[in-house]
Amino acid sequence: MKRAMILATMAFLGLAMAQGRTVNLLWSGAVTGPTSDVGGPYGAGVEDYCRYANEQKLIPNVTLNCTVRDDQYQNPNTQRIFEEALDRAKPAIYLGYSTGAMLQLKPLINEVKMPTIPASAHIGLIDPPNNQYMFLPVSSYSEQVVALMEYINRTTKNAKIALVINPSPFGRAVVDHARRAAQRLGQTIVDVREVGSGNLDNTALLRALDAAGAQFIIHQNVAGPVANILKDAQRLGLNRKIRQMGAVYTGGSDLIRLAGEAAEGFLWASSYYTLDENAPGINLQKQLAQKYNRSADILNSTNYTAGMLAAAIAVEAMRRAGQRFNGRIDNETVYQALIGMNGPNAFKPGFAVSTKAGIEIDFTRSEQTGAEGLRVLEARGGKFVPVTEPFTSALFRQVRNP
């Protein structure tokens, strides 16, 4: 009898915790400043999915307090925003952004045991043994780049490749893996150049890469600098000589909008469905963009899709935590919900492709990449169309660790 009363009291307290409770979610990223062409739409995706979650009461008896902060792509700002949140209104989960800031925050995130879903797909964020709490929603930058190198190798043996990367930890994240993959494939990395948003004339760059014998350029950047390079290559007539391609944040409708016809033929590695595909997440994206009066540029951006996916994973983890732990939704229970999001309990919001039938987001304690799969897409007639089925890079798994 006494045990039954204790269990009943615990159940009541659990329900009371959830009844009318507010749970905090924090996102900070580059709404302005460098890489804001990614951060602006990404933050909008987070914000809109949070509004939708509250309106639809996706987490029963809970109001989601979703805070979106502009860190201007400055690591000290990110650190301050995160520390302030820990002191004032500790979030149940943190949605991070830049590679550099996430690497800087990684020890603190582990110390406070904060489950974190970054926009950055740098594989170093989840490399053992110094990670437990970061989860990548989709394939890493390095896997995307290595997958492009494998794609090149299908038709061109002993290819000569130049890497053009963002001048930041985000850009540099792929270089070592690309070098190791090139050795395995018999390819040559002829040059590695860093190019930021302020570089408006790329004539000297393209002439140098041409002189070095580059047949392909692989970009690890955001769309703006890539668009400038594509337009300059077209102006110089090098677009017919050097094939260009890039990882997830280089492409999509943002690149086509900025580069115009110069984007034609660009190859893009991405884990996300496009706006032209009939997928549940994409259909929801269209509905919410219309409902919340988002511009066509925001609606069409894959970065908006990416923000929505991150928020959807966070909200689903909080919902499952409340359900599993009798209304308790905090960083500890949300972490347990994330690592239980696999097999028959995988999450299927319909934003990303997968190589596993019926499974989209699949996390465990040791596997902290969600969507296992990516595609290569090609810009054709003003839109990106898939030229491969979803796949994972076997070579990346061989070169991931030296």
Side-chain angles (χ1 to χ4, degrees):
M1 180 70 175
K2 184 176 181 181
R3 182 174 182 272
M5 290 179 63
I6 291 171
L7 291 173
T9 302
M10 289 175 65
F12 173 79
L13 289 173
L15 289 172
M17 287 173 66
Q19 186 69 37
R21 185 183 178 197
T22 297
V23 176
N24 298 309
L25 179 152
L26 170 66
W27 179 81
S28 64
V31 179
T32 61
T35 79
S36 58
D37 49 349
V38 171
Y42 194 102
V46 171
E47 186 175 29
D48 289 354
Y49 195 90
C50 286
R51 292 169 69 181
Y52 163 76
N54 277 332
E55 290 168 0
Q56 297 298 312
K57 297 179 170 37
L58 295 186
I59 310 175
N61 303 311
V62 167
T63 298
L64 184 61
N65 177 31
C66 183
T67 302
V68 172
R69 297 285 302 274
D70 181 12
D71 65 17
Q72 302 174 312
Y73 207 60
Q74 299 294 321
N75 294 354
N77 292 348
T78 311
Q79 181 97 20
R80 174 178 50 78
I81 290 167
F82 184 67
E83 289 177 348
E84 285 176 357
L86 294 178
D87 290 340
R88 297 177 184 177
K90 186 176 181 179
I93 190 168
Y94 173 47
L95 306 185
Y97 184 71
S98 78
T99 299
M102 292 300 95
L103 289 170
Q104 179 174 304
L105 280 176
K106 188 175 176 180
L108 179 57
I109 285 169
N110 284 333
E111 179 185 338
V112 300
K113 301 180 179 180
M114 178 60 63
T116 299
I117 301 174
S120 169
H122 177 28
I123 195 66
L125 297 178
I126 63 169
D127 272 344
N130 299 317
N131 174 68
Q132 189 173 356
Y133 293 96
M134 288 202 196
F135 297 84
L136 305 188
V138 297
S139 60
S140 70
Y141 301 138
S142 291
E143 181 166 5
Q144 293 158 22
V145 167
V146 173
L148 287 170
M149 296 170 74
E150 290 177 295
Y151 186 79
I152 289 170
N153 200 55
R154 294 183 186 184
T155 57
T156 306
K157 303 302 180 184
N158 304 312
K160 294 183 177 181
I161 300 169
L163 301 178
V164 177
I165 62 174
N166 191 271
S168 68
F170 155 60
R172 300 176 196 117
V174 304
V175 175
D176 288 345
H177 294 118
R179 290 190 188 280
R180 293 200 286 270
Q183 290 179 340
R184 296 287 188 99
L185 293 169
Q187 297 170 338
T188 303
I189 304 295
V190 298
D191 204 348
V192 179
R193 295 292 186 100
E194 296 189 356
V195 176
S197 300
N199 195 6
L200 301 180
D201 187 345
N202 299 281
T203 301
L205 168 72
L206 288 163
R207 294 288 191 205
L209 297 183
D210 182 36
Q215 300 166 282
F216 301 91
I217 296 173
I218 298 180
H219 296 271
Q220 165 60 358
N221 216 318
V222 293
V226 178
N228 291 335
I229 292 171
L230 288 172
K231 288 186 287 187
D232 285 342
Q234 184 182 52
R235 173 176 55 80
L236 296 168
L238 292 174
N239 57 320
R240 294 182 294 273
K241 189 175 182 181
I242 304 175
R243 188 77 185 271
Q244 300 195 49
M245 59 196 69
V248 61
Y249 289 130
T250 65
S253 66
D254 298 298
L255 182 68
I256 289 172
R257 173 174 53 83
L258 294 168
E261 64 178 15
E264 191 74 6
F266 186 86
L267 296 174
W268 177 43
S270 171
S271 297
Y272 296 101
Y273 287 114
T274 72
L275 210 65
D276 298 310
E277 295 179 280
N278 183 22
I282 297 299
N283 294 335
L284 178 63
Q285 175 177 330
K286 294 174 182 176
Q287 294 167 17
L288 297 187
Q290 181 178 25
K291 182 176 184 178
Y292 301 137
N293 298 312
R294 294 297 184 183
S295 68
D297 288 348
I298 294 288
L299 163 63
N300 293 329
S301 176
T302 301
N303 306 317
Y304 186 54
T305 312
M308 283 203 174
L309 175 58
I313 295 169
V315 169
E316 178 65 9
M318 288 187 280
R319 185 193 70 79
R320 293 185 185 193
Q323 184 180 57
R324 178 179 169 188
F325 294 98
N326 203 28
R328 181 183 162 206
I329 303 174
D330 57 26
N331 58 305
E332 294 179 5
T333 63
V334 169
Y335 171 74
Q336 292 299 323
L338 282 169
I339 63 175
M341 202 175 274
N342 54 69
N345 298 314
F347 182 39
K348 307 179 242 336
F351 291 105
V353 302
S354 175
T355 58
K356 300 177 181 178
I359 293 176
E360 183 177 345
I361 302 301
D362 186 34
F363 292 124
T364 68
R365 191 182 301 273
S366 59
E367 177 49 68
Q368 290 164 302
T369 301
E372 290 289 334
L374 59 88
R375 298 181 296 185
V376 177
L377 302 94
E378 183 177 4
R380 295 177 181 172
K383 63 176 63 176
F384 276 96
V385 297
V387 294
T388 71
E389 294 297 318
F391 69 100
T392 58
S393 170
L395 178 58
F396 169 67
R397 280 145 185 80
Q398 297 170 28
V399 302
R400 177 174 175 178
N401 298 308

